[in-house]
Amino acid sequence: MTHHAHAVAALRDDVLRRLTYTVGKDSATASPRDWFVATALATRDRVVESWLASTRRNYREDRRRVYYLSLEFLIGRLLIDTLTNLSLTGAMREALAELGVDLDKLRELEPDAALGNGGLGRLAACFMDSMATLEIAAVGYGIRYDHGLFRQTIKDGWQHEYPEDWLSFGNSWQFPRPEITYDIGFGGHVENTRLTDGLLAHVWRPGETIVAVAYDTPVVGWRGRHVNTLRLWSARALDPLRLDAFNQGDHVGALAEQVRAEAISKVLYPSDSTPAGQELRLRQEYFFVSASLQDLIRRHMKQSGDIMKLAEKNAIQLNDTHPAIGVAELMRLLVDVHGVEWKEAWKITQATFSYTNHTLLPEALETWPVWLMEKLLPRHMQIIYLINAMHLDGLREKGVQDAGVLSSVSLIDEHNGRHVRMGHLAFLGSHKVNGVSALHSELVKETVFKDFHRLYPDRVVNKTNGVTFRRWLLEANPALSRLLAETIGAGVFDDPEKLIELENYADDPEFQQRFAAAKRENKERLAARIFDTVGVRVDSNALFDVQIKRIHEYKRQLLNVLEAVALYLDIKSQPSRDFVPRVKIFAGKAAASYIQAKLIIKLANDVAQIVNADPEARGLLKVVFLPNYNVSLAETIIPAADLSEQISTAGMEASGTGNMKFALNGALTIGTLDGANVEIRERVGDGNIFIFGLTAQEVEESRARGIDARETIAASPRLAEALSAVAGGMFSPDDKHRYAQLVDTLTYYDHFLITKDFDSYCDAQRKTDARWRDQKAWRKSCILNTARVAWFSSDRTIREYADEIWKVAT
């Protein structure tokens, strides 16, 4: 028996064994979901040995560990991901076929883990994959949300939110660790007591204690050589119910404490538009950070036994400002619990933490009212005051006397009610702060942390984001992966740098045909998905023009919709013109309380309804909004895209990673010079990307001159006509005034400069039409995009973090 045949037989037997003894079903009566669970568990069994071996090696070699703290981990489905990384996909497909089961159908049954929302969470997942691949001893820490953000449905064009029930059938990948729990305190008061040596000690007496329980998911690296852990925390009450109240007939009240405790790990980003919602957000952040820090200190003490060596043996990365309270919590644990002297504790804290900034938007650089922090975390508020006082005293001693500078770098914002600035706390408590693209890192130095950068010029560094090619090429795009393996060898999946060899085939007519055939296969699959989901028939010969991301005004889905309106009006009024058939595809969620973003979703759907049903459009334009955007949907859309929309207002998108995934899969980018688009242009070449619009500097200058857009609109007849059609109710016959306010806002208060960039965007779109008409030129550009983006692998990003920030070997 060959090695492959043996592997197939072993997998078949293991799946049957799991079906019988774990699921408790017979193969004759098993449902597709039973087969999925049995297959997932048989796959997981293949991971455990390597996982335990990796853990033993970490202890044996006394390795420096990396801890990645993130409120989101958008890991997507894990069955194919794990099989791919173990090189077992083919063997499992054959094993299941012998049992009369189709692996691809099972794949569709797996729910997406609802542990994130957008790019931040997907980046964390790609980074976890790369850390395992590069054999870095790492643990990801986050929250095990029962319902994640929400499940989006579209009814009459409007977004509706429902709980994401991804755990309703259990989770085959996780290992519950009921023995690993930590007490997390809230509220109460701080007592000051004198120690025997006369020193003053602070003892926090929390008014409420909640238990954090660990759940572990193994994260498999490429070829299965190393496996790391994603440890997620679930919240539990100390006592599941008050028995006295229950026995007195108050059956609901008896569960009140449990409900209050478990609210912490119920949903991602609970609305903070109410004081209760704001408090829950802070409780969430502190809950997962405290549990994680207690856990990693326990592991450190088990391994080295010396708290003073914490920074020497551990690196903690804060993924955005959400875990920034960790700076104060580590100080509390070091000083109050482990008796470390303050100055030493601060040195250890700064040497352990580093912080990734993901946004220049002020609302995303969290701040918390001082009253809320004092109520919820009184000891941490004391610690923050002391960190701040010593920080500002130190600056005065160095000769910094400017009151404006001292006020701007203070941890407390004294304007509009006193607030704790969490971005400032993260900056001050870290030895390195990084932006996530070359442009963004420069803007970090010039804007949000301008005064900090002047005071600490070596602290801000750049680490341009990356994506894991294994998921976004091998798993998402098997057709293109097969072609790459046949053309330049399967070694490209071990070393993405080999993609550059594709350049040799960019002009080859036969290779171009095969490249186009792979794209066609993906487009037909997406066309079928579109018809099944929203009932719209699209032509896979048309140009697939795709914008999939969080719905936000700065990402400018509205610019894309307005261009679609202008194009539609042109098609109707110029029947003799030769238009390129185009399908505009949108997907993304709007935050539940973000009214304007939800209105943009409604407009996209209204435009789709009118355009798709109009015989005068002659099928030359279709508009599609696909609901409930997640990793699995992205895996279907991205390989099928011809054009990638990356059209944010310049200076506002930190990096983007969708732009990298699209380019890798042979889509051409239309975009502003924003985030990583700048670096993508440098890599793929000016001629293989469509850049338009104001630069970040021009955006700044334009806003300074005012954001009233009446003159701009008057100077652009196509824009004026499109806005008039929207405002006049052409797309909302049931409510003629639905979009009047939206158009008014654009006209008088165009903060995101949609009108300013409109003509430039339309011109760039017509250039894409011209390139599309020359299919040879289009295909060459697509091939060169795939060939030249190896640098955007998350393996490269993680190597940079490892070398320059974490100081661990790869």
Side-chain angles (χ1 to χ4, degrees):
M1 188 187 269
T2 65
H3 174 71
H4 178 73
H6 187 271
V8 170
L11 281 170
R12 185 193 62 222
D13 293 348
D14 285 354
V15 170
L16 276 176
R17 193 175 297 117
R18 279 297 198 172
L19 184 71
T20 307
Y21 296 110
T22 309
V23 182
K25 286 286 185 78
D26 182 87
S27 58
T29 57
S31 70
R33 189 172 293 281
D34 295 331
W35 281 113
F36 166 74
V37 172
T39 305
L41 292 173
T43 305
R44 193 183 77 169
D45 290 345
R46 295 290 195 282
V47 173
V48 171
E49 217 165 282
S50 184
W51 192 22
L52 298 177
S54 300
T55 304
R56 283 194 299 271
R57 176 189 166 196
N58 294 341
Y59 277 105
R60 187 176 66 249
E61 295 177 8
D62 193 21
R63 304 177 76 202
R64 179 169 165 82
R65 297 168 190 270
V66 173
Y67 294 101
Y68 199 80
L69 269 60
S70 179
L71 211 50
E72 297 186 41
F73 286 94
L74 207 52
I75 56 177
R77 293 169 171 165
L78 291 180
L79 177 58
I80 300 296
D81 192 56
T82 308
L83 287 170
T84 301
N85 280 349
L86 294 174
S87 306
L88 285 175
T89 312
M92 183 61 89
R93 182 171 276 112
E94 284 180 43
L96 290 173
E98 289 179 14
L99 296 166
V101 177
D102 182 343
L103 175 61
D104 293 313
K105 285 187 177 154
L106 286 194
R107 174 187 198 165
E108 296 301 316
L109 291 174
E110 181 174 0
D112 271 56
L115 299 170
N117 172 31
L120 179 87
R122 186 51 231 169
L123 183 79
C126 283
F127 279 6
M128 288 302 296
D129 179 286
S130 285
M131 283 188 271
T133 293
L134 297 174
E135 300 185 40
I136 294 169
V139 177
Y141 279 122
I143 295 177
R144 180 182 175 270
Y145 302 104
D146 293 345
H147 301 294
L149 189 71
F150 55 79
R151 179 168 54 84
Q152 179 197 53
T153 63
I154 302 295
K155 289 184 181 170
D156 300 324
W158 292 102
Q159 169 178 295
H160 291 261
E161 302 94 23
Y162 296 94
E164 187 75 81
D165 54 356
W166 73 289
L167 288 170
S168 57
F169 285 91
N171 177 357
S172 305
W173 303 105
Q174 74 183 9
F175 288 82
R177 306 291 192 204
E179 75 285 5
I180 298 177
T181 63
Y182 296 96
D183 287 355
I184 313 296
F186 294 100
H189 63 283
V190 180
E191 290 175 5
N192 298 331
T193 56
R194 291 261 170 220
L195 300 175
T196 47
D197 57 6
L199 287 172
L200 192 64
H202 303 274
V203 181
W204 179 25
R205 308 281 185 205
E208 174 189 10
T209 301
I210 284 166
V211 178
V213 184
Y215 287 79
D216 289 351
T217 301
V219 179
V220 188
W222 179 234
R223 305 287 188 204
R225 284 186 291 261
H226 184 87
V227 183
N228 281 327
T229 303
L230 174 60
R231 176 160 285 180
L232 302 173
W233 301 104
S234 195
R236 300 282 183 272
L238 269 178
D239 296 309
L241 88 165
R242 285 185 44 220
L243 201 57
D244 55 340
F246 192 88
N247 286 334
Q248 285 164 17
D250 185 4
H251 303 143
V252 174
L255 293 166
E257 280 176 40
Q258 183 187 0
V259 170
R260 180 173 161 78
E262 292 182 3
I264 287 178
S265 53
K266 276 286 177 232
V267 299
L268 168 66
Y269 300 141
S271 172
D272 56 1
S273 53
T274 64
Q278 204 172 35
E279 180 175 326
L280 180 55
R281 284 278 283 269
L282 181 54
R283 282 163 71 87
Q284 254 186 353
E285 291 176 8
Y286 176 66
F287 162 81
F288 107 86
V289 164
S290 177
S292 305
L293 291 177
Q294 290 183 64
D295 192 48
L296 71 87
I297 288 174
R298 173 197 60 78
R299 190 178 295 110
H300 169 76
M301 294 304 284
K302 178 182 170 186
Q303 186 164 332
S304 85
D306 183 355
I307 195 69
M308 303 305 283
K309 286 185 177 172
L310 189 74
E312 193 184 309
K313 291 293 178 188
N314 304 278
I316 304 173
Q317 190 71 33
L318 303 174
N319 192 26
D320 220 355
T321 49
H322 311 122
I325 192 66
V327 173
E329 172 66 358
L330 185 56
M331 285 298 289
R332 183 188 75 83
L333 292 168
L334 291 172
V335 174
D336 295 2
V337 178
H338 291 273
V340 179
E341 191 266 328
W342 179 275
K343 279 187 180 167
E344 278 303 311
W346 184 241
K347 268 190 210 162
I348 291 170
T349 296
Q350 275 191 315
T352 306
F353 279 116
S354 39
Y355 157 55
T356 302
N357 171 278
H358 283 280
T359 181
L360 305 171
L361 295 175
E363 68 268 23
L365 284 169
E366 290 180 314
T367 63
W368 296 109
V370 165
W371 67 262
L372 177 60
M373 189 76 81
E374 283 177 335
K375 171 191 163 190
L376 212 56
L377 301 170
R379 177 60 182 140
H380 297 77
M381 196 62 242
Q382 285 183 346
I383 288 168
I384 288 166
Y385 276 138
L386 188 50
I387 291 170
N388 200 36
M390 296 184 88
H391 159 56
L392 297 177
D393 286 350
L395 290 178
R396 287 190 199 95
E397 281 169 27
K398 287 178 186 164
V400 180
Q401 300 297 336
D402 185 313
V405 170
L406 292 171
S407 167
S408 88
V409 297
S410 170
L411 298 186
I412 312 296
D413 182 357
E414 303 287 352
H415 311 99
N416 311 318
R418 297 165 72 233
H419 284 74
V420 182
R421 294 162 158 158
M422 302 310 283
H424 284 34
L425 181 63
F427 190 109
L428 206 57
S430 299
H431 63 285
K432 287 291 179 210
V433 174
N434 72 282
V436 288
S437 73
L439 173 66
H440 172 242
S441 295
E442 287 310 305
L443 291 172
V444 163
K445 295 174 188 174
E446 293 165 18
T447 59
V448 285
F449 293 127
K450 182 179 178 182
D451 288 317
F452 269 118
H453 176 59
R454 282 207 199 118
L455 298 169
Y456 307 101
D458 299 327
R459 198 164 296 185
V460 178
V461 294
N462 179 54
K463 295 283 164 279
T464 298
N465 284 344
V467 301
T468 169
F469 287 12
R470 291 166 288 280
R471 183 181 279 263
W472 294 106
L473 192 56
L474 255 182
E475 292 170 49
N477 199 342
L480 181 55
S481 298
R482 279 194 302 273
L483 178 57
L484 294 178
E486 288 165 16
T487 309
I488 56 176
V492 69
F493 304 122
D494 295 287
D495 178 12
E497 295 294 332
K498 290 187 172 152
L499 279 172
I500 201 69
E501 293 173 26
L502 276 189
E503 282 199 9
N504 302 327
Y505 300 89
D507 282 308
D508 179 329
E510 191 206 340
F511 183 76
Q512 282 197 359
Q513 289 290 341
R514 296 176 73 198
F515 196 89
K519 179 67 75 177
R520 162 61 72 87
E521 188 179 317
N522 294 324
K523 289 174 76 170
E524 286 171 353
R525 187 174 54 156
L526 176 57
R529 179 77 172 262
I530 289 170
F531 183 69
D532 289 348
T533 310
V534 293
V536 176
R537 289 196 187 280
V538 299
D539 179 2
S540 46
N541 290 311
L543 189 159
F544 280 20
D545 173 350
V546 178
Q547 188 174 20
I548 48 172
K549 49 187 76 226
R550 213 159 39 93
I551 310 295
H552 197 291
E553 286 168 281
Y554 90 80
K555 292 180 186 284
R556 300 203 296 192
Q557 284 90 353
L558 185 53
L559 175 59
N560 192 351
V561 174
L562 286 174
E563 197 271 337
V565 168
L567 180 58
Y568 168 63
L569 296 174
D570 283 349
I571 291 169
K572 279 171 75 74
S573 64
Q574 302 170 40
S576 60
R577 211 173 109 194
D578 177 24
F579 290 94
V580 166
R582 191 180 277 255
V583 181
K584 279 192 178 270
I585 298 164
F586 296 87
K589 294 177 180 178
S593 55
Y594 194 169
I595 303 302
Q596 196 78 336
K598 292 172 100 166
L599 189 61
I600 290 166
I601 290 176
K602 174 62 173 163
L603 176 60
N605 280 288
D606 277 354
V607 169
Q609 192 148 15
I610 297 293
V611 170
N612 297 347
D614 187 346
E616 287 179 26
R618 306 188 301 289
L620 292 168
L621 176 64
K622 291 283 179 80
V623 181
V624 172
F625 189 100
L626 289 169
N628 206 39
Y629 179 53
N630 57 19
V631 177
S632 300
L633 188 53
E635 286 173 341
T636 304
I637 296 173
I638 289 170
D642 293 307
L643 191 64
S644 156
E645 297 268 356
Q646 309 298 332
I647 59 176
S648 50
T649 311
M652 300 195 75
E653 184 70 85
S655 167
T657 54
N659 45 9
M660 301 166 190
K661 294 161 196 162
F662 280 111
L664 174 65
N665 280 276
L668 304 190
T669 302
I670 182 168
T672 49
L673 278 177
D674 197 21
N677 292 354
V678 177
E679 289 154 282
I680 290 175
R681 182 179 72 159
E682 285 168 12
R683 303 272 159 183
V684 304
D686 268 344
N688 302 304
I689 189 169
F690 302 98
I691 295 293
F692 73 92
L694 303 173
T695 63
Q697 190 177 344
E698 287 165 349
V699 164
E700 201 68 27
E701 291 162 2
S702 187
R703 280 183 180 152
R705 289 195 298 272
I707 52 176
D708 185 313
R710 280 175 293 182
E711 264 182 57
T712 309
I713 294 166
S716 170
R718 291 185 83 232
L719 174 59
E721 188 186 12
L723 288 174
S724 170
V726 171
M730 177 185 277
F731 303 98
S732 52
D734 58 320
D735 178 359
K736 294 279 189 192
H737 304 293
R738 181 177 296 142
Y739 301 111
Q741 182 71 52
L742 183 75
V743 173
D744 267 2
T745 304
L746 266 188
T747 306
Y748 300 104
Y749 192 76
D750 184 12
H751 180 71
F752 298 98
L753 303 177
I754 286 169
T755 57
K756 267 273 191 291
D757 274 352
F758 181 82
D759 282 351
S760 176
Y761 177 56
C762 288
D763 291 346
Q765 287 286 21
R766 300 299 70 81
K767 283 177 189 158
T768 68
D769 287 342
R771 183 77 54 89
W772 180 261
R773 285 192 180 95
D774 180 354
Q775 276 292 299
K776 192 172 183 335
W778 182 276
R779 289 168 187 173
K780 179 178 179 178
S781 285
C782 293
I783 293 164
L784 289 174
N785 265 261
T786 299
R788 292 174 175 174
V789 292
W791 190 77
F792 295 101
S793 162
S794 51
D795 293 355
R796 184 269 314 156
T797 313
I798 289 298
R799 275 196 193 93
E800 289 183 12
Y801 275 98
D803 295 346
E804 297 164 37
I805 297 180
W806 304 331
K807 308 296 183 197
V808 295
T810 57

